[in-house]
Amino acid sequence: MTQRRFKDMDWMLRDLAASVPCIRHIVVLSADGLCMAQHGSERDSGDRLAAAASGIKSLAQSIATELPGDEGDVKMVLLELTGGFFYLMSAGERSYLAVTADAEVDPGLISQRMRDLVLRIGEHLSTGTRTPERAAP
């Protein structure tokens, strides 16, 4: 995908943030932890969140393989932390949507809005497998 297509997602990320009070950050990331789009944070913060979310996704995949009949697919991860919540949701092939929110957020509302967003733009978020020719220098 081109950088321009990711720029076109800005309004959708802003819409998610506006529809759920208490959202702090929204990041769309590739499975290998690259920040593809973000809202509510500086570039460096978005990059750190994308990298951390990728690590959490990998841990969740390891746990999923321990469940009978599971092939390690991660649909959603929710962490409740002292300062708020972290959500990670599959958003297309090899793409994920990560959201941080304050402790006062409505967990059901944020989950529903994230699912709505993924359904609307999931196919646009899919990223292909990285090859050496496509990898960043």
Side-chain angles (χ1 to χ4, degrees):
M1 287 188 156
T2 65
Q3 185 67 19
R4 180 69 190 138
R5 271 178 90 181
F6 293 131
K7 282 287 204 191
D8 291 341
M9 286 193 295
D10 288 352
W11 72 269
M12 290 183 248
L13 301 183
R14 280 193 308 271
D15 185 51
L16 173 61
S19 70
V20 181
C22 302
I23 284 182
R24 288 185 166 204
H25 304 99
I26 304 169
V27 174
V28 177
L29 62 133
S30 63
D32 55 358
L34 295 176
C35 180
M36 298 188 297
Q38 66 180 25
H39 175 76
S41 61
E42 297 174 2
R43 183 73 201 171
D44 288 344
S45 181
D47 288 340
R48 284 190 306 273
L49 184 58
S54 179
I56 290 169
K57 184 253 329 162
S58 293
L59 291 170
Q61 282 177 320
S62 295
I63 293 168
T65 59
E66 298 300 320
L67 299 173
D70 202 312
E71 298 170 5
D73 293 335
V74 175
K75 293 183 181 182
M76 182 172 190
V77 174
L78 168 60
L79 299 176
E80 184 175 2
L81 309 163
T82 303
F85 292 91
F86 169 80
Y87 291 82
L88 180 66
M89 183 178 288
S90 177
E93 187 176 330
R94 300 185 45 76
S95 299
Y96 295 85
L97 177 63
V99 176
T100 63
D102 294 334
E104 296 80 26
V105 75
D106 177 344
L109 178 62
I110 195 169
S111 296
Q112 183 60 48
R113 294 292 193 261
M114 286 177 70
R115 281 189 187 100
D116 292 346
L117 178 60
V118 166
L119 288 173
R120 282 181 18 213
I121 62 171
E123 68 273 1
H124 301 292
L125 296 179
S126 297
T127 60
T129 304
R130 284 185 146 334
T131 60
E133 305 85 52
R134 293 181 61 198

